[in-house]
Amino acid sequence: SQQGEEDPQALSIQEGENATMNCSYKTSINNLQWYRQNSGRGLVHLILIRSNEREKHSGRLRVTLDTSKKSSSLLITASRAADTASYFCATDETSYDKVIFGPGTSLSVIP
Amino acid sequence: DGGITQSPKYLFRKEGQNVTLSCEQNLNHDAMYWYRQDPGQGLRLIYYSQIVNDFQKGDIAEGYSVSREKKESFPLTVTSAQKNPTAFYLCASSITRVANVLTFGAGSRLTVL
């Protein structure tokens, strides 16, 4: 079962611009996380937002969560070429002891 | 340094052969996971384990087997019953089920010839 769905599938922006990625999910969750993956590597955890939180910041990252719409967004401000990677949202369903990942957004930041 | 070690990084297999992918962690994490990733795709859960000597099937367990005899180790065997095993395999761990922030290994790329 695929819980999260990211949008857009691919995003290309100029260095210095902001990048926004969205994630939608289907069931009740305990928390939602965002991960980053450089090509051919493992995933790296970026940020976790709990179901009772609405917004969270970490450096240039800003995550929002709307549980009524079952959606989240990840904003990367002042993007850099080094931000080029795939970004995945992951949800921790309340009914199951597992973390489910969406298909990801591929971000390209052009210098 | 604490982390997760996956080996081998690259593995080639002939059809009909079983192969075992190693995953070792020194983070003292209780929970461990195996995911499969196909080109341009997200991660699909194969198996997970919350405690030693116990594990549960994920969404695509058919053709795979695991064991959890030690807290540090969670090997994955890709059996000949797995019809399309060529993929990138990722092992992860988390402190416990609660919060479930995952730490990932670098991955193992399996190619069936």
Side-chain angles (χ1 to χ4, degrees):
Chain A
S1 59
Q2 192 91 317
Q3 168 73 315
E5 294 283 338
E6 289 92 342
D7 168 55
Q9 288 187 323
L11 180 61
S12 183
I13 60 174
Q14 296 286 92
E15 201 166 29
E17 294 180 337
N18 295 343
T20 299
M21 288 159 269
N22 302 297
C23 170
S24 61
Y25 58 92
K26 298 174 184 174
T27 64
S28 296
I29 61 172
N30 295 314
N31 61 65
L32 186 144
Q33 304 174 55
W34 286 90
Y35 289 80
R36 165 195 168 126
Q37 183 182 35
N38 288 79
S39 181
R41 307 295 298 272
L43 279 71
V44 175
H45 179 258
L46 295 176
I47 195 165
L48 178 150
I49 185 165
R50 300 190 190 284
S51 59
N52 61 355
E53 298 175 312
R54 292 297 166 257
E55 187 171 313
K56 203 161 182 180
H57 296 255
S58 177
R60 294 184 296 113
L61 304 180
R62 172 178 167 253
V63 170
T64 62
L65 179 64
D66 187 335
T67 53
S68 67
K69 295 181 179 178
K70 292 187 170 57
S71 67
S72 172
S73 67
L74 171 67
L75 169 67
I76 304 174
T77 60
S79 63
R80 306 165 181 168
D83 293 329
T84 294
S86 292
Y87 293 82
F88 296 89
C89 72
T91 51
D92 180 7
E93 300 181 12
T94 54
S95 302
Y96 302 98
D97 288 337
K98 55 186 179 180
V99 177
I100 303 295
F101 286 80
T105 292
S106 176
L107 173 65
S108 296
V109 181
I110 303 167
Chain B
D1 289 336
I4 297 181
T5 301
Q6 288 188 240
S7 63
K9 188 171 177 65
Y10 298 97
L11 183 62
F12 297 89
R13 181 194 105 176
K14 292 182 180 179
E15 283 194 24
Q17 289 181 333
N18 293 354
V19 294
T20 297
L21 307 180
S22 170
C23 178
E24 302 279 332
Q25 54 102 354
N26 61 2
L27 299 166
N28 200 32
H29 285 177
D30 285 330
M32 297 187 75
Y33 310 80
W34 274 105
Y35 290 90
R36 169 181 172 141
Q37 186 177 33
D38 293 285
Q41 303 290 316
L43 279 67
R44 291 184 290 169
L45 183 63
I46 305 172
Y47 269 98
Y48 61 107
S49 168
Q50 304 290 339
I51 197 170
V52 174
N53 291 323
D54 187 43
F55 48 83
Q56 288 77 41
K57 293 181 179 180
D59 299 317
I60 56 165
E62 185 175 351
Y64 299 98
S65 66
V66 293
S67 63
R68 187 86 186 277
E69 297 175 2
K70 298 187 300 181
K71 187 175 184 177
E72 303 80 18
S73 180
F74 192 41
L76 173 74
T77 297
V78 184
T79 75
S80 56
Q82 169 49 235
K83 299 194 186 314
N84 185 20
T86 294
F88 189 51
Y89 291 89
L90 287 158
C91 179
S93 70
S94 62
I95 295 174
T96 64
R97 183 220 172 273
V98 176
N100 263 344
V101 172
L102 301 181
T103 301
F104 280 84
S108 292
R109 188 169 299 280
L110 171 63
T111 302
V112 174
L113 304 173

